[in-house]
Amino acid sequence: MSLLTRRRLLRRAALSASAASAARTGLAGATTAGLAASTTAVGGCEDTPARDPEPAPDPGLRFPDGFGWGAATSAYQIEGAAKEDGRGESVWDTFSRTPGRTRNGDTGDVAADHYHRYAEDLDLMRELGLRSYRFSISWPRIQADGSGRPNQRGLDFYRRLLDGLHERDIAPMATLFHWDLPQALQDDGGWENRDTAERFADYADAVFHALGDRVPVWLTINEPKTVVQNGYLSGHHAPGRQDAAAAYLVAHHLQLAHGLAVRALRASGATGRIGPALNLHPCYPADDTAGAAAAARLHDGYENRLYLDSIFKGAYPQDVLADLGPDSRMVRGIRDGDLATISSPVDLLAVQYYTPIYVTGAGGTVRKWPTSEADWQQIYPQGLYDTLTRVTRDYGRVPITITENGLPCPDVPGSDGTVDDAGRVIFLRDHVAAAHRAVRDGVPLESYHVWSLLDNFEWAEGYDQRWGLVYVDYQSQRRVFKRSAHWYREVIRRNGL
Ligand code: GCO
């Protein structure tokens, strides 16, 4: 892979505090009066100028009947109970317990204690009116070492959760892998080892047999790209590697694992639907030069087409393969039949949208919009519309669910105990409006999930960034509906804005 490409791909790499604030200052200087005004309109989220220059959406927008309003979480980020009921260690246990890897040395050992408080959390979901809840199953709870007979106590936890969702009339959506690879498999090479894809298929098979009667929608691998870019390029996520050659072999094995799991579901006889969960970033040229257009196209290959084309077209994009080179570990690792496995027909595509990317002719990236507290995230709702319509245009009318969309705000309860995250309300409103425009223009979108239901462990950022609709006081584990939760309940009730 060319050095330039490598340099460009470090998404979500932690910027130094000074670089981040310099970037923000630069942006503030460049923004329009409209943006500057919106900066003051975000209440508890002052740092987050959460809107683009579009007018506020028509407050009469309605979604199709039965639209699945939801919220999302993942196991390691909320469950805690790291050593209970036979759970094994995952790469995130190892990584977060290694000094210097996460902010303040935070770990997911306790997190939002959801493992013990799931019943209370189910009641919060009901109070919100959720129609869909996306969560993930922790592989090391089901197979402590990543293989062998499933751990009944781990399965029982998810059955209780699923029963609770059904009792409350909330449709479950279960992700099989949200980054918590059993450490024992990492010790054997992790996703660099092709056998990990086979282990994943066995784990998925065990879960399908145990819980297949309760789960209508399965998602295979959450954001393979983030494992590649953060786990193996920048190294600021587990397993903390910086090895570009390994990174794209990992990408191939993650894609293979996805395809094997799709096949395992079909073979299990379970009736649920299944698809991948991809974080897609629209890649725009930073200016109108031909060089920027070409660079943005290649960038799009690495960000989006590598994952979409292999699943929906049965081929990796030629420009990416050429850029990686025939001697790359990835290209050498592709075996006959792999692409047929990876492109096993899926029932739906889960899209996760956070940010656009602007690519210069030199292959660098620049920011054009204000960022949230997460400095990799530019706030640009139109990017969601562009992503949804592009997927439908380029890959056909596969049903789409948005499984993540949100932003972090430095939310703190006021003296009256309420949490005023007005910036999140504006952000969500503008993105929901963009999704509505996509539906109006023919995108088969069936549901939308806010990231996240609860404040939680935000990976390398620890507990500093708060992404939830529901505030979590980590000392007492008390939950408080933020203003955005009250707002979202109304959206759900009205089925729109
Ligand atoms: C991801 C993950 C989530 C994150 C969220 C905010 O997209 O990175 O699926 O676990 O917490 O995206 O960064």
Side-chain angles (χ1 to χ4, degrees), residues 11-12 74 77 134 178-179 222-223 226 352 354 376 404 451 456 458-459 467:
R11 186 178 85 90
R12 297 195 189 191
S74 88
Q77 295 182 271
R134 176 192 177 219
H178 202 122
W179 306 349
N222 178 70
E223 300 192 357
T226 308
Q352 320 203 143
Y354 289 98
W376 51 267
E404 291 186 21
W451 183 270
N456 60 48
E458 176 57 15
W459 309 114
W467 290 76

Side-chain angles (χ1 to χ4, degrees), residues 18 105 169-170 192 218 245 266 282 298 328 341 395 406 463 478 497:
S18 59
D169 218 10
I170 301 168
E192 269 178 85
W218 298 96
R266 308 300 184 212
L298 180 59
S328 60
T341 303
Y395 298 95
Y463 295 97
R478 200 168 57 96
L497 297 176

Side-chain angles (χ1 to χ4, degrees), residues 1-2 244 248 302 306 319-331:
M1 173 175 40
S2 69
Y248 288 93
Y302 277 102
L306 186 63
D319 54 348
V320 174
L321 293 184
D323 192 62
L324 288 165
D327 293 330
S328 60
R329 287 184 71 192
M330 177 189 169
V331 173

